[in-house]
Amino acid sequence: MYEKVGNILKMAQESNTAAIAFICMDYVMARSVVYAAEATNTPAIVMLYPEHVTIQHTTGFKNHAALVKELANEVKVPIGLHADHDYTYEAIMHTIDSGFESVMMDGSMNDLDTNIALTRKVVLKAHEKGVFVEGEIGHVGLAADSDNHNEDLYTKADAAEKFCKEAGVDSLAVSIGNAHGEYKETPHLDIARLEEIHAATSVPLVLHGGSGIPDDQLLVAFSKGINKFNLGTEFLGKYYNAVAEFASENAGNPDPVKIINLPEYAQSKLQPYLEGRMKTLCHF
Ligand SMILES: [Zn+2]
C-alpha cells in the first residue's frame, strides 16, 4: 500500500527502529523491494537517485513515481517513495511535479547559513504542496576519499538544532562517520555525536552511506534516533551479480528472446538478500 514517507518514519520513530530506503534504478529493483517488504511484513521505502535519470537514463522521473505507486498498491505493507539528493530549488520542484511527495534538498556542501537559506526556500514551497523534505547538515562525503574519517565534515549538534529550527526540515541526514560508496576499511559510527544530535533535535534522523557499516553499529544507531537508512551500493552490486549469473547460465540458450526472463530471475536473487536486510535491521 502506498504510504507517505512521513508516516513510515513516524512508525519507525515510535518503534525505535529504521525503515530502509533502497536505491532502485528501475522496475526490477523496485519490485524486488516491494515484494521483500510484503514477505517480511516490513514497511520500506523505494528511493530514486535523480542522477540515475539525468545521467544514466535507467528510468524517468514521472515513470518511476508511477511505477512505484502501482507496485506499492499491489501489496498490503506500507511502501514509501522518496527522491534522494537534489541540489537546487529548480531540480526539487521538477522532482515534486513528477509525483514525488518526499524529497531531499542537499545543501550540505554550502556553509551553514547558505544551506539554511536554500533549504528553507524549498521547505516553504514543498510544504504548500504537502511534500516531506529531508535536509542534510554536516556533509556525507565519499568513502573512496575516506571522507568518513574527516571529522570536519561531521554534523555538530548545535548546528543541527539551528538548522532544524530555521530551515524547518521534516527529517535530517547526518554525518557521523558514514560516507557514500564502498568503504576502504570498516567504518566506525560516532555514536556519542549521534546521541548529542538526537538530544538537540526532534525530527527523524537519516543515515546515508549504509553499505558496509556493520550490523551491530547500525542497530545501535537505530536505537538512538536514526529512523531512515539509505542503502544503494550493496544492492546495486547484488543486481549486477544477478545479471552476470543470468548471462552465464544462459550462455548456451539459443532462445532469441531469453532476455525477457531476466527480471524474474534477478528478482529471485535480490529478494532473499532484501528480506535478510529487513529481518535483521528493521524492528517495527
Ligand atoms: Zn546520500
Side-chain angles (χ1 to χ4, degrees):
M1 172 187 55
Y2 174 67
E3 183 60 86
K4 291 199 171 190
V5 166
N7 291 338
I8 291 177
L9 296 193
K10 204 175 291 165
M11 291 165 64
Q13 240 179 349
E14 282 162 8
S15 302
N16 226 18
T17 189
I20 308 180
F22 294 95
I23 296 252
C24 295
M25 69 173 213
D26 65 6
Y27 184 77
V28 174
M29 293 182 92
R31 189 167 199 274
S32 301
V33 168
V34 168
Y35 280 88
E38 181 75 344
T40 56
N41 194 29
T42 306
I45 298 167
V46 174
M47 185 163 66
L48 174 70
Y49 189 59
E51 284 187 8
H52 288 165
V53 178
T54 57
I55 297 179
Q56 284 90 20
H57 310 296
T58 64
T59 187
F61 284 105
K62 282 185 189 164
N63 162 300
H64 206 74
L67 75 82
V68 172
K69 288 175 188 173
E70 181 180 334
L71 283 167
N73 288 326
E74 291 176 9
V75 299
K76 292 192 191 75
V77 75
I79 300 290
L81 168 70
H82 176 75
D84 208 8
H85 304 264
D86 265 321
Y87 302 97
T88 66
Y89 179 86
E90 291 71 25
I92 290 264
M93 290 309 138
H94 177 261
T95 301
I96 291 173
D97 291 342
S98 301
F100 287 81
E101 295 179 286
S102 177
V103 296
M104 179 188 189
M105 173 62 204
D106 179 2
S108 68
M109 71 297 292
N110 300 286
D111 63 64
L112 180 60
D113 287 335
T114 308
N115 188 1
I116 288 172
L118 286 170
T119 307
R120 176 75 189 149
K121 187 180 172 199
V122 164
V123 166
L124 285 174
K125 193 69 189 171
H127 283 181
E128 270 177 30
K129 298 167 182 268
V131 171
F132 186 94
V133 181
E134 176 180 326
E136 178 169 320
I137 178 76
H139 181 66
V140 181
L142 299 173
D145 295 341
S146 295
D147 282 342
N148 47 305
H149 295 306
N150 184 353
E151 292 199 19
D152 290 343
L153 301 177
Y154 286 13
T155 306
K156 293 166 188 67
D158 55 347
E161 183 179 8
K162 180 178 159 77
F163 183 80
C164 286
K165 210 171 280 173
E166 296 181 13
V169 289
D170 302 300
S171 66
L172 181 67
V174 295
S175 173
I176 53 167
N178 48 312
H180 296 111
E182 192 169 28
Y183 294 98
K184 289 180 177 170
E185 67 272 338
T186 306
H188 292 283
L189 297 180
D190 186 343
I191 297 296
R193 184 182 295 267
L194 173 61
E195 286 177 314
E196 285 175 26
I197 299 166
H198 186 36
T201 57
S202 56
V203 296
L205 302 175
V206 181
L207 191 69
H208 286 233
S211 303
I213 300 174
D215 289 349
D216 57 340
Q217 291 189 44
L218 291 174
L219 290 168
V220 171
F222 297 172
S223 72
K224 296 180 185 296
I226 297 290
N227 300 125
K228 173 172 171 279
F229 170 62
N230 290 5
L231 202 52
T233 303
E234 187 177 86
F235 185 25
L236 287 160
K238 301 276 181 197
Y239 190 17
Y240 178 86
N241 292 344
V243 173
E245 279 171 43
F246 178 82
S248 134
E249 282 182 23
N250 282 280
N253 182 350
D255 181 354
V257 298
K258 51 187 175 280
I259 188 68
I260 60 174
N261 297 317
L262 173 62
E264 279 287 325
Y265 180 94
Q267 188 178 335
S268 76
K269 299 288 177 179
L270 294 177
Q271 215 182 301
Y273 154 72
L274 295 167
E275 289 178 21
R277 291 287 68 200
M278 291 178 198
K279 279 185 199 155
T280 304
L281 297 175
C282 307
H283 301 287
F284 282 87

